[in-house]
Amino acid sequence: MSSVSRKAVPNRRVDSVQNSDRRSRAGSLARQLAVSHDDAYTYALRVAYLHYILQPKTKRKQWVPAPKPPPRTHTSNIGDLVKEFVPGNSSSVKLPHGFRGHLEKRMERVIMGAERLPGYNDAAVKKTFAQAYTAFTEQAFRKNVDKERKVEPMVLIFYSAATKACMLGHEPGDDSWKLLVDRHVALFVRLLTNILRDQGHERDKPDLLSRLSTLENKLLTNDQNLYIDTGQSSGNTIEVIVPLTYDVKDMPMVQVVAKIFGLSHSDVQSHIDAQRPNWTEEAALRDLKAYQHRLNSNSSGALRSQDFSVDEAYQEWKKAEAPFLSQMMMEILTSRPELARRSTAVSASYDKALPTSPSSIQPDDRRASFSPERASIYGIDNIMNLGSMSFDENSSIRPVDDGNYTSYTFIPPEPREFLKVIAKYALEFDAMHDDEAEESSLFSKQSMELLTELCVRWRIAQFTRLVVFLEVAARRFTDTLFTVIDLDNAFELVKLPQPEAKKPPYIYLHNETLETMDRSKWTTTDYDVFRQTLQTVNDALLRDLYDTLMHCYEAKPPSAGPAVHVLTNHIFNDPDFSRDEGDAQEYTQLLASGMQEQAAIAYRAILDAEVPRSQEDWDFSHVVQLGKSVIKLCEKTQKRYKKNPEIMGVKPFTILVETMFPNFEDDAHDLIKRIVQVANDRGVELPLQDGFDLYKELVEIRRIHKSSLPSRPFTFDVEELLVDFVWRWIQNAETRAEDFVESAISQDQFQVRGNGPGHISLDSERHSHSIIDMFQLFHQTADQVFRLEWDNDVHHARFMTALSKIFANSIARYCEIVDQRFVKEMDTPRPNEKEAAEAAQTTQGRFMQYAKDAWTTKDKIEPFQFYPESLVKLNNVEWAMQELDKLERTMNVDACADILERVDGPKRQAKRPAKYVFTIKIVEAEEIKACDPNGTSDPYVVLVDEYQKRLHKTRIVMRTLSPRWDESVDVTVSGPLNIVATIWDYDTFGDHDFVGRTSLKLDPVHFSDYLPREFWLELDTQGRILLRVSMEGERDDIQFYFGKAFRHLKRTERDMVRKITDKLSRHINASLSYDALRTLLGRNVTSQVTSFFKRQSTIPQITDTEIENALQSLFTYFDENFAIMKETLTDATMVAVMTRLWKEVLMAIEALLVPPLSEKPSNQRPLTQRELDVVFKWLGLLFDFFNARDEDGEVLGVPAEVLKSPKYHELASLNFFYFDTTESLIRTSERIAAATAQRQQQQLQGHLSSNRLSAPASLGSSLNVPHAGPAFASMGTIRRGKSIMMSRNLGTMRRAKEEKRKEAQADPSDDMILRILRMRPEAAGYLKERHRQKERMAAAAAAAMIVKQSVTQGWNKAGGGFGRGGVPVRR
């Protein structure tokens, strides 16, 4: 039973126990003796100590010299010999755990002849051990040995096996083999001893080793040594009695007393030491003699005839006590034989009149009164006067002083009361130290042994013992210290027979239970106490049952079964219990009334649970859910009490139905009227799944409502009421997505998902699990919203927008981590690079490495060893773009954007962005500082913000002073931010060298027109760097988020591809360099000398074969690397890598032909016609190589339309202008520039005329300003940059690329002409003028865009603190 207090039921019958005039349950018909803790302890200790000194004395083996016994012919009875020397009952002679396994291993060694000990290699011995090994390895025998751990069965089994093995081959009547059996058994015993010693059990198993040694010697009577005859037997082993230590640690029952009464062993030891002269066997014998005399004389000090209701019961009791007393006295005399000589004197002393003492439970008039002259065992006199005993004044044990009455030494004045008190302490102790193995027992085994010993020494009958147990258990139950289960265990203890004891205690009717005893043979006190206990338990159980049934309508009600079980089986069925029908009916009515009240409370609880307190959840669905809950509770109640529908005259299911349904019908009507008020409160946060389930139920109810009540509209908007549940779920999804991405990457090995070695993986198997799992998460997240079938398009569009933001952030994080790992893997030194690094530890090693690098450029270059996991990462990014495009179509992004545009269009234009996204493109640098011995540098750029946070690191461009990177990075800001660009020179060995640094301020105010700008920034050392910057407002727009995700993927793919191509670009640049061209044309020193001596006037012509052979090493290098990449990369990714390599080829050829675009003259020398022809032939050969075709003409490489990029067309057009005169080139440039300016002017006028409003007159002059102010000071001619919105899916990205291609074709540029003019010193003035012209055109375009935006949005209609486009205005 729970610790909840049992409240009194307001019922005359239930309270009758407390309010009636009958005696209290705790009372007794006899005089109550107040038994203190110390009194109970001292008598319990006396009995426990007496049990110790009377226990059978322990014997031990002792070696004494003795004549050698006559030899035996053989062992006649091995069983007796084993039992004598190796008994298995004591734990000290049991085998250690796991011994069987070691024994089997040693026996296997004996059988195989590998045993080291002498005497075991004999063939007969091996045969016997093999026979025994078969028996030992049987499963049943193994289990028995592991459980019992006894030596006896093992020796007996071996003896049987030895007999079978040795008797084979002998004639009947030939007993010579029997001595061989003894020898083999002795060998087995010696093997057991050796194993125990090897395992270090000499200390903890000395007794077992001694007994095994003795058994071995007994078996070897005829042959004292197994392998040599030494004749060393000169003594014998005898048994001697081990003297008592009188130490508490050797007294188990005394230790139990100490635990029960909470005393230490030292305290108990001091008490025993002080009382040893008094607590002797002689005192115990005197107690028994005195008790026997009083029993025979029907005098005080034992049960008398007055204590029984019938004289036959008393006579039977008296007759049964006689043999018990004789046996107990015999035990004492056996323990102390010298006491037998004094027994006659002691017996004679009892022939005299004994002093009177309280002895009777009831006087002669059968009333419960006390008489000093007539007392029973419940007030036994003692022979000795306790006052004469010596006690330590500091001892907690004090003698029980019963006035002038003498007392026994070991028997207390009121044995029954003492037993009850000690049983109570034992019960409390066992409850606090409950053992799972004994959880169903009322007392622990040790406590039960102590209580049984008390009953034996105090001569308490079995019925008294059991009634006392039940009385103590009932008292603990009424004090709420017991559960009903514990009470049932108590009844089981006193009613069910207990296991048979090996030695039955000397207790009258010990094997009987309260069920089997004839209660007419009980004492009147026990009978009355038993009936009173039943009544007390009945009242307490009725109160407990009332409390239990008051919870019967809860979700998990306590079971009434245990209480009903105890009442039915132990109380009502007991013949000595009488139940009043009037009280029973009154209890039934009270129980029914209480259950009706609880049914009403249960309904109110359901009402509170199903109808939330917040208004956001009060809707019509709760009416339905409330009804479902009521029905569900009724069904559960009916099912719960299906087998027992009626309990104590009431039916829980009937009461529930009669109470709840009327209340439900009334409250349902009230809820409908209050629904509108409840719907406005959204203060309580409910479980998300409950909200989704609730929405589904509401939609279904609404459908039923519309079909059932077509003329009555549904009262509230379900979607508007429950939208917060979806938003909360989306917030949780965002948290889950952040953790999921990192977890998926950490668990991914980035391997191709093939079917093992030799399997050619399909493209669909060439991406790893992390990207698959991430997009599965995306689809599952979106599907969760789709499955809701949300009936509000605006809400659904906003949900999709929020999910797109989560997806974009997750993809950005994925790209960031994967790219970092990719870069680390690609930068990991390969074996040949590690050797170079080790050689470069010294200055000489570094010069040797430079020489080796120069030499290897002439020989075959080994392909780069790409890691498969690196290429799988690139496949993942490419696959992610395809999946993101599918997800974009699944979510119907454009439709969601259109819906929100119609709803939020005007608001979105007036609202300023909270953040801005700057896209910084690191284009190129010019004339930077040379840091390497060869006069060049290997530059890369590191971009950091003003807080030293790294924003981006570019790739490394090898061996150039005019590098071109063309890498972009997005920077999100909410205000102005300074960025610093630092150029470093990459060194394979040692620290990287500083090249130069510059800075730029990103301020949204300066980019309010959202147009891109180019900045040529001077380095603090020498040279300059070109940055292209554009800005977009961070928009809460689904298309923006998808564009952002696509941009992350595309940029990551581009960076990875560029990292791959960087590993190959070094050989590309070396193969398409001036040195390669000069080597091919023979323009080196040797060829010049040869031409001089031969006096040749012309240089020999170069054939097409020689031109192609010059690229053969490059083609071979490509083929080898492509073969490695083809094993892992998908077709689409492979094309992307080859496309990027083609771009590197075009850039190398472009660098060979013309210098970068700039307003300054260049030192680069133009090529000759012969050199130009070779370069264009190289371009054609490379085009054919990348556009590889099979025999049928099918393209296997990069499609021709991809190879023919704008850059390719620009290079092709160089052939027309390369050798024109400077004047002709300038005229052509001027003509193209004029045409471009005219087209821009027409476009500007078209944009202005298409608007109804025109710009103010004051703005006209600003369109022709000579410069654009500080913000536009370094701006060149640039087109509109790629916005995030242009990258929201693969379709928009393809369209943007196609438009760019068409724009390049439709809008010819003079950039190539200007680059040719840089190699003409006479064109320096024109270059500067043309550059200023481009700046003016860019400024005019920027101003025109500002006018267009102002006219479109309304001049100066933005908020006072913000300019057009939501950009803050500087005051």
Side-chain angles (χ1 to χ4, degrees):
M1 192 176 76
S2 65
S3 59
V4 179
S5 62
R6 299 177 176 86
K7 65 179 182 179
V9 179
N11 180 313
R12 180 177 61 82
R13 179 55 181 166
V14 176
D15 294 337
S16 60
V17 175
Q18 298 179 355
N19 298 332
S20 64
D21 294 334
R22 291 179 298 176
R23 285 182 296 272
S24 171
R25 183 199 54 77
S28 175
L29 295 181
R31 176 180 64 89
Q32 296 296 306
L33 176 66
V35 181
S36 66
H37 177 276
D38 291 344
D39 293 342
Y41 160 66
T42 183
Y43 275 100
L45 181 61
R46 294 179 191 191
V47 173
Y49 174 73
L50 179 62
H51 177 267
Y52 169 71
I53 63 177
L54 293 181
Q55 66 181 345
K57 300 300 184 290
T58 305
K59 297 181 180 181
R60 67 182 178 191
K61 301 293 183 179
Q62 181 174 334
W63 179 262
V64 294
K68 185 176 181 180
R72 305 183 282 115
T73 58
H74 60 85
T75 301
S76 60
N77 194 337
I78 187 65
D80 295 341
L81 191 62
V82 171
K83 291 181 180 178
E84 179 182 359
F85 291 97
V86 194
N89 295 330
S90 175
S91 60
S92 62
V93 296
K94 286 191 175 183
L95 294 171
H97 292 281
F99 182 83
R100 177 184 55 76
H102 297 285
L103 176 61
E104 291 181 359
K105 292 181 180 178
R106 292 293 292 271
M107 292 181 71
E108 291 173 359
R109 289 170 53 183
V110 171
I111 296 170
M112 293 185 295
E115 179 55 44
R116 300 187 306 273
L117 295 178
Y120 289 87
N121 292 326
D122 184 72
V125 173
K126 295 178 182 179
K127 181 179 179 181
T128 300
F129 271 75
Q131 184 79 19
Y133 182 83
T134 303
F136 281 9
T137 54
E138 292 182 359
Q139 194 64 27
F141 183 78
R142 283 179 170 178
K143 290 184 178 179
N144 182 63
V145 170
D146 291 342
K147 180 180 180 182
E148 300 295 336
R149 295 187 290 118
K150 294 183 179 180
V151 178
E152 178 182 352
M154 301 176 71
V155 176
L156 294 178
I157 291 295
F158 190 90
Y159 179 85
S160 176
T163 302
K164 293 179 182 178
C166 294
M167 68 184 298
L168 294 176
H170 291 81
E171 297 295 333
D174 183 6
D175 295 335
S176 61
W177 56 271
K178 294 185 179 180
L179 290 176
L180 193 60
V181 172
D182 292 354
R183 175 184 173 86
H184 290 182
V185 175
L187 280 170
F188 176 71
V189 174
R190 178 170 293 184
L191 185 65
L192 296 178
T193 304
N194 185 263
I195 294 174
L196 289 172
R197 294 184 186 278
D198 290 345
Q199 293 179 349
H201 293 291
E202 293 180 348
R203 292 188 176 182
D204 59 337
K205 299 290 182 181
D207 195 10
L208 177 59
L209 290 171
S210 175
R211 291 170 185 264
L212 290 175
S213 177
T214 303
L215 177 60
E216 177 186 341
N217 293 331
K218 285 291 183 179
L219 291 169
L220 297 177
T221 303
N222 293 318
D223 187 3
Q224 287 297 326
N225 194 287
L226 299 177
Y227 53 97
I228 56 172
D229 186 10
T230 61
Q232 297 175 354
S233 179
S234 61
N236 193 12
T237 301
I238 62 172
E239 288 187 347
V240 296
I241 297 176
V242 179
L244 297 177
T245 63
Y246 297 99
D247 195 342
V248 172
K249 66 182 180 64
D250 298 326
M251 306 178 187
M253 191 170 289
V254 171
Q255 295 176 15
V256 174
V257 174
K259 292 179 181 178
I260 291 176
F261 288 93
L263 296 177
S264 64
H265 286 189
S266 59
D267 292 338
V268 176
Q269 186 69 59
S270 63
H271 301 159
I272 292 176
D273 294 342
Q275 297 302 325
R276 275 179 59 187
N278 300 321
W279 298 348
T280 61
E281 298 92 333
E282 184 177 1
L285 184 60
R286 284 200 301 269
D287 282 0
L288 292 178
K289 288 291 185 178
Y291 176 81
Q292 185 181 38
H293 180 78
R294 296 181 182 184
L295 178 65
N296 294 333
S297 61
N298 195 25
S299 59
S300 62
L303 286 178
R304 295 188 297 174
S305 58
Q306 295 92 327
D307 296 326
F308 295 85
S309 58
V310 292
D311 187 62
E312 291 80 0
Y314 169 69
Q315 294 301 329
E316 185 177 340
W317 151 263
K318 181 178 178 181
K319 181 179 179 181
E321 282 289 273
F324 290 154
L325 294 174
S326 299
Q327 294 173 10
M328 294 172 66
M329 292 179 187
M330 183 58 65
E331 288 183 352
I332 297 176
L333 295 178
T334 302
S335 177
R336 292 286 301 277
E338 64 272 15
L339 294 180
R341 295 188 295 271
R342 310 180 206 171
S343 61
T344 305
V346 173
S347 301
S349 66
Y350 291 117
D351 294 336
K352 301 178 182 179
L354 291 171
T356 59
S357 65
S359 61
S360 178
I361 295 178
Q362 295 183 359
D364 291 341
D365 57 2
R366 315 299 290 175
R367 290 178 300 176
S369 62
F370 176 76
S371 174
E373 291 76 19
R374 306 179 67 184
S376 70
I377 191 172
Y378 298 99
I380 296 177
D381 289 337
N382 289 345
I383 299 175
M384 300 175 58
N385 188 352
L386 292 178
S388 64
M389 297 176 65
S390 173
F391 291 90
D392 185 359
E393 62 184 7
N394 296 324
S395 174
S396 63
I397 304 178
R398 52 187 177 84
V400 179
D401 189 3
D402 193 18
N404 297 321
Y405 309 120
T406 59
S407 60
Y408 293 106
T409 300
F410 293 98
I411 304 177
E414 290 280 355
R416 191 182 192 282
E417 293 301 317
F418 273 77
L419 178 65
K420 185 165 63 175
V421 172
I422 295 173
K424 183 191 72 170
Y425 286 131
L427 207 56
E428 292 175 352
F429 176 81
D430 292 340
M432 289 188 295
H433 304 81
D434 189 15
D435 188 359
E436 295 181 358
E438 302 177 354
E439 58 182 0
S440 60
S441 302
L442 193 66
F443 295 99
S444 65
K445 181 180 178 181
Q446 295 80 4
S447 298
M448 182 59 75
E449 290 176 354
L450 172 63
L451 295 174
T452 302
E453 186 67 18
L454 294 177
C455 293
V456 171
R457 296 300 167 186
W458 295 350
R459 307 313 306 144
I460 297 178
Q462 176 72 355
F463 47 78
T464 303
R465 174 173 172 262
L466 297 180
V467 170
V468 167
F469 289 167
L470 187 60
E471 185 180 1
V472 172
R475 180 57 182 269
R476 286 184 63 82
F477 178 72
T478 57
D479 291 342
T480 69
L481 300 175
F482 255 16
T483 64
V484 181
I485 302 297
D486 296 329
L487 184 63
D488 181 61
N489 291 336
F491 275 104
E492 297 291 336
L493 174 67
V494 300
K495 287 189 175 184
L496 296 180
Q498 300 302 309
E500 291 288 340
K502 294 182 179 179
K503 181 181 178 182
Y506 304 136
I507 298 178
Y508 177 55
L509 301 176
H510 177 262
N511 293 329
E512 300 290 332
T513 66
L514 294 185
E515 287 288 303
T516 59
M517 290 183 192
D518 185 358
R519 297 182 183 180
S520 63
K521 298 180 180 180
W522 296 6
T523 63
T524 55
T525 298
D526 290 322
Y527 182 74
D528 291 341
V529 168
F530 176 71
R531 292 187 60 190
Q532 183 177 337
T533 301
L534 290 180
Q535 190 60 56
T536 302
V537 171
N538 173 72
D539 295 343
L541 283 173
L542 290 179
R543 289 193 295 270
D544 185 87
L545 180 61
Y546 181 90
D547 290 341
T548 300
L549 290 178
M550 293 305 104
H551 301 278
C552 68
Y553 301 129
E554 294 180 356
K556 294 183 179 180
S559 176
V564 174
H565 171 78
V566 175
L567 285 170
T568 303
N569 296 294
H570 300 311
I571 306 298
F572 297 158
N573 291 345
D574 195 284
D576 292 317
F577 178 77
S578 59
R579 188 182 183 197
D580 186 86
E581 291 298 328
D583 291 343
Q585 293 179 2
E586 185 178 352
Y587 179 80
T588 299
Q589 295 175 0
L590 183 64
L591 188 60
S593 176
M595 293 179 68
Q596 289 174 357
E597 182 181 351
Q598 293 302 317
I601 294 175
Y603 173 72
R604 288 195 295 270
I606 294 175
L607 190 66
D608 294 338
E610 301 298 342
V611 182
R613 298 180 182 276
S614 84
Q615 296 180 5
E616 69 176 13
D617 297 319
W618 281 40
D619 51 67
F620 290 122
S621 67
H622 294 103
V623 179
V624 178
Q625 190 60 35
L626 184 62
K628 289 183 178 180
S629 298
V630 169
I631 295 174
K632 181 179 179 181
L633 179 58
C634 292
E635 291 176 348
K636 288 176 61 177
T637 304
Q638 185 181 27
K639 182 179 179 180
R640 186 180 300 125
Y641 298 102
K642 182 177 181 180
K643 294 182 179 180
N644 299 304
E646 184 173 332
I647 300 176
M648 303 300 292
V650 298
K651 298 180 179 180
F653 174 70
T654 303
I655 293 176
L656 182 66
V657 170
E658 293 176 350
T659 304
M660 297 190 72
F661 273 82
N663 291 334
F664 165 71
E665 293 167 2
D666 293 340
D667 290 338
H669 182 262
D670 293 339
L671 281 172
I672 293 174
K673 292 191 299 183
R674 296 168 54 191
I675 192 67
V676 176
Q677 298 177 0
V678 175
N680 295 327
D681 186 5
R682 299 179 181 180
V684 178
E685 197 173 79
L686 298 176
L688 294 177
Q689 191 57 46
D690 290 351
F692 295 154
D693 295 341
L694 180 61
Y695 176 74
K696 294 178 181 179
E697 292 294 334
L698 285 174
V699 171
E700 182 63 20
I701 291 296
R702 183 168 59 186
R703 184 188 65 80
I704 298 173
H705 175 88
K706 292 179 179 179
S707 62
S708 301
L709 303 172
S711 59
R712 185 174 179 180
F714 207 71
T715 310
F716 61 94
D717 186 348
V718 178
E719 285 73 22
E720 193 65 34
L721 180 65
L722 299 179
V723 67
D724 285 344
F725 283 96
V726 185
W727 285 121
R728 285 172 48 206
W729 181 85
I730 291 175
Q731 291 175 0
N732 294 342
E734 182 176 8
T735 304
R736 291 195 305 270
E738 294 174 357
D739 300 334
F740 182 87
V741 171
E742 297 187 7
S743 176
I745 295 176
S746 63
Q747 298 176 14
D748 194 357
Q749 300 298 322
F750 292 99
Q751 298 295 327
V752 173
R753 296 174 294 110
N755 294 327
H759 172 73
I760 300 177
S761 301
L762 303 175
D763 277 5
S764 59
E765 299 173 340
R766 297 195 175 195
H767 45 273
S768 59
H769 294 284
S770 61
I771 195 68
I772 298 175
D773 295 341
M774 187 173 73
F775 272 92
Q776 283 181 350
L777 175 66
F778 293 167
H779 285 286
Q780 291 171 0
T781 305
D783 289 343
Q784 179 71 18
V785 179
F786 293 150
R787 286 195 296 269
L788 290 177
E789 298 180 358
W790 200 261
D791 195 13
N792 187 312
D793 292 341
V794 176
H795 287 178
H796 181 80
R798 296 194 192 280
F799 297 157
M800 294 298 104
T801 301
L803 292 183
S804 65
K805 181 179 180 181
I806 296 174
F807 300 161
N809 293 337
S810 300
I811 289 174
R813 181 58 178 161
Y814 184 88
C815 292
E816 178 185 359
I817 299 176
V818 168
D819 186 58
Q820 291 174 356
R821 293 191 177 191
F822 180 85
V823 171
K824 184 177 180 181
E825 292 165 0
M826 294 297 292
D827 291 341
T828 301
R830 272 43 176 183
N832 56 340
E833 296 176 347
K834 291 181 179 179
E835 295 176 2
E838 294 174 357
Q841 298 299 321
T842 62
T843 304
Q844 181 180 2
R846 284 195 292 271
F847 283 110
M848 291 295 293
Q849 185 62 35
Y850 287 133
K852 184 178 179 181
D853 291 343
W855 179 259
T856 54
T857 56
K858 302 178 182 179
D859 299 334
K860 178 183 176 182
I861 300 178
E862 294 297 327
F864 186 80
Q865 298 300 322
F866 293 100
Y867 294 144
E869 51 266 30
S870 302
L871 302 179
V872 170
K873 291 181 176 67
L874 180 57
N875 289 341
N876 286 356
V877 174
E878 186 272 333
W879 186 82
M881 286 192 288
Q882 305 297 329
E883 289 300 308
L884 188 62
D885 194 59
K886 296 178 184 178
L887 184 63
E888 193 257 358
R889 293 193 299 269
T890 301
M891 296 174 65
N892 203 356
V893 169
D894 292 336
C896 294
D898 291 341
I899 292 173
L900 294 181
E901 184 66 27
R902 290 195 300 268
V903 177
D904 299 335
K907 298 179 182 178
R908 184 178 301 180
Q909 293 178 1
K911 182 179 179 181
R912 72 176 182 92
K915 295 181 179 179
Y916 301 90
V917 179
F918 279 94
T919 300
I920 304 173
K921 184 172 185 179
I922 305 171
V923 184
E924 60 181 337
E926 280 187 347
E927 301 174 0
I928 61 175
K929 182 176 69 174
C931 297
D932 292 339
N934 57 8
T936 62
S937 294
D938 303 323
Y940 66 92
V941 180
V942 175
L943 207 64
V944 299
D945 63 11
E946 59 191 27
Y947 306 105
Q948 298 302 311
K949 177 183 177 182
R950 176 180 285 192
L951 304 176
H952 186 68
K953 176 185 175 183
T954 68
R955 64 192 177 99
I956 302 168
V957 181
M958 307 300 292
R959 299 179 181 179
T960 180
L961 297 179
S962 298
R964 188 176 185 88
W965 294 282
D966 286 326
E967 295 188 22
S968 301
V969 60
D970 289 339
V971 180
T972 302
V973 302
S974 56
L977 181 70
N978 291 314
I979 61 168
V980 178
T982 305
I983 303 179
W984 297 89
D985 171 56
Y986 173 80
D987 288 331
T988 306
F989 317 108
D991 297 333
H992 299 182
D993 298 324
F994 174 78
V995 177
R997 181 182 290 110
T998 187
S999 62
L1000 176 67
K1001 184 176 184 179
L1002 302 179
D1003 194 340
V1005 174
H1006 299 159
F1007 291 81
S1008 58
D1009 55 358
Y1010 294 100
L1011 289 177
R1013 291 168 175 77
E1014 285 184 350
F1015 297 93
W1016 276 103
L1017 304 175
E1018 299 292 334
L1019 300 177
D1020 57 359
T1021 52
Q1022 72 178 54
R1024 59 180 182 170
I1025 185 172
L1026 176 61
L1027 300 182
R1028 185 174 297 154
V1029 184
S1030 62
M1031 185 189 77
E1032 284 188 83
E1034 182 84 23
R1035 300 170 55 182
D1036 187 20
D1037 183 273
I1038 187 171
Q1039 293 177 332
F1040 176 85
Y1041 292 130
F1042 267 92
K1044 189 176 180 181
F1046 270 108
R1047 172 176 285 193
H1048 278 296
L1049 290 171
K1050 194 63 181 177
R1051 186 166 292 169
T1052 303
E1053 182 194 44
R1054 182 196 61 201
D1055 293 343
M1056 288 181 174
V1057 170
R1058 181 172 290 166
K1059 192 70 176 178
I1060 292 174
T1061 56
D1062 284 347
K1063 298 299 180 181
L1064 312 180
S1065 60
R1066 181 177 180 182
H1067 193 42
I1068 294 174
N1069 295 329
S1071 300
L1072 302 176
S1073 63
Y1074 282 111
D1075 293 338
L1077 188 61
R1078 290 168 182 167
T1079 301
L1080 175 63
L1081 295 177
R1083 293 176 61 181
N1084 49 33
V1085 176
T1086 303
S1087 62
Q1088 291 178 3
V1089 172
T1090 302
S1091 299
F1092 175 78
F1093 283 104
K1094 291 183 177 181
R1095 300 184 182 277
Q1096 295 176 350
S1097 59
T1098 61
I1099 299 176
Q1101 295 295 320
I1102 303 299
T1103 65
D1104 292 343
T1105 303
E1106 291 176 331
I1107 294 173
E1108 184 175 357
N1109 289 338
L1111 297 180
Q1112 194 59 46
S1113 62
L1114 179 62
F1115 292 153
T1116 303
Y1117 185 67
F1118 280 158
D1119 288 335
E1120 291 176 347
N1121 282 281
F1122 289 168
I1124 295 174
M1125 290 186 285
K1126 191 67 176 177
E1127 294 178 357
T1128 306
L1129 291 178
T1130 62
D1131 291 341
T1133 312
M1134 190 68 194
V1135 170
V1137 173
M1138 295 178 67
T1139 303
R1140 178 61 198 178
L1141 277 175
W1142 173 248
K1143 187 174 182 180
E1144 292 289 336
V1145 169
L1146 295 180
M1147 291 173 63
I1149 292 178
E1150 182 184 41
L1152 196 61
L1153 295 173
V1154 292
L1157 183 64
S1158 176
E1159 76 278 11
K1160 297 181 180 180
S1162 173
N1163 295 326
Q1164 181 173 340
R1165 183 190 61 79
L1167 300 180
T1168 65
Q1169 182 65 52
R1170 190 166 178 233
E1171 293 170 337
L1172 187 67
D1173 293 341
V1174 172
V1175 171
F1176 276 101
K1177 287 182 179 180
W1178 280 352
L1179 181 62
L1181 291 172
L1182 288 167
F1183 182 92
D1184 295 336
F1185 177 82
F1186 279 88
N1187 186 237
R1189 298 175 181 268
D1190 59 8
E1191 297 176 354
D1192 299 330
E1194 183 180 354
V1195 178
L1196 301 180
V1198 183
E1201 58 271 15
V1202 176
L1203 295 176
K1204 293 180 180 180
S1205 61
K1207 180 64 67 178
Y1208 176 82
H1209 288 292
E1210 287 181 352
L1211 293 178
S1213 66
L1214 271 177
N1215 212 5
F1216 299 104
F1217 304 107
Y1218 202 78
F1219 295 105
D1220 274 4
T1221 62
T1222 302
E1223 293 77 6
S1224 177
L1225 291 176
I1226 292 175
R1227 287 195 300 270
T1228 304
S1229 175
E1230 289 176 343
R1231 185 172 59 254
I1232 294 175
T1236 301
Q1238 184 178 2
R1239 279 195 304 273
Q1240 290 182 353
Q1241 186 68 23
Q1242 292 174 354
Q1243 292 175 359
L1244 176 61
Q1245 292 178 355
H1247 288 311
L1248 293 177
S1249 61
S1250 63
N1251 296 296
R1252 297 181 180 179
L1253 299 177
S1254 59
S1258 60
L1259 190 63
S1261 60
S1262 66
L1263 299 180
N1264 296 317
V1265 291
H1267 58 83
F1272 312 125
S1274 301
M1275 187 170 65
T1277 303
I1278 58 176
R1279 291 183 293 269
R1280 176 71 179 176
K1282 296 179 182 178
S1283 68
I1284 293 179
M1285 298 298 291
M1286 294 169 60
S1287 307
R1288 62 182 181 272
N1289 56 40
L1290 293 180
T1292 58
M1293 294 168 68
R1294 283 192 292 267
R1295 287 194 295 271
K1297 185 176 293 186
E1298 186 63 27
E1299 290 175 0
K1300 179 180 178 182
R1301 184 187 299 271
K1302 292 180 180 179
E1303 182 181 353
Q1305 295 175 354
D1307 187 12
S1309 173
D1310 62 339
D1311 288 350
M1312 277 299 178
I1313 296 176
L1314 295 177
R1315 296 173 72 173
I1316 296 173
L1317 290 175
R1318 287 194 65 197
M1319 296 183 292
R1320 312 286 178 87
E1322 62 273 15
Y1326 176 75
L1327 289 174
K1328 293 181 180 179
E1329 179 61 29
R1330 183 73 179 90
H1331 181 72
R1332 286 195 292 268
Q1333 183 182 4
K1334 283 189 174 185
E1335 288 182 343
R1336 290 194 296 270
M1337 292 174 64
M1345 184 59 67
I1346 293 175
V1347 172
K1348 178 183 176 182
Q1349 293 177 353
S1350 302
V1351 172
T1352 302
Q1353 299 177 2
W1355 192 258
N1356 286 337
K1357 287 188 178 180
F1362 303 96
R1364 291 172 296 279
V1367 179
V1369 175
R1370 295 275 177 93
R1371 299 296 184 186

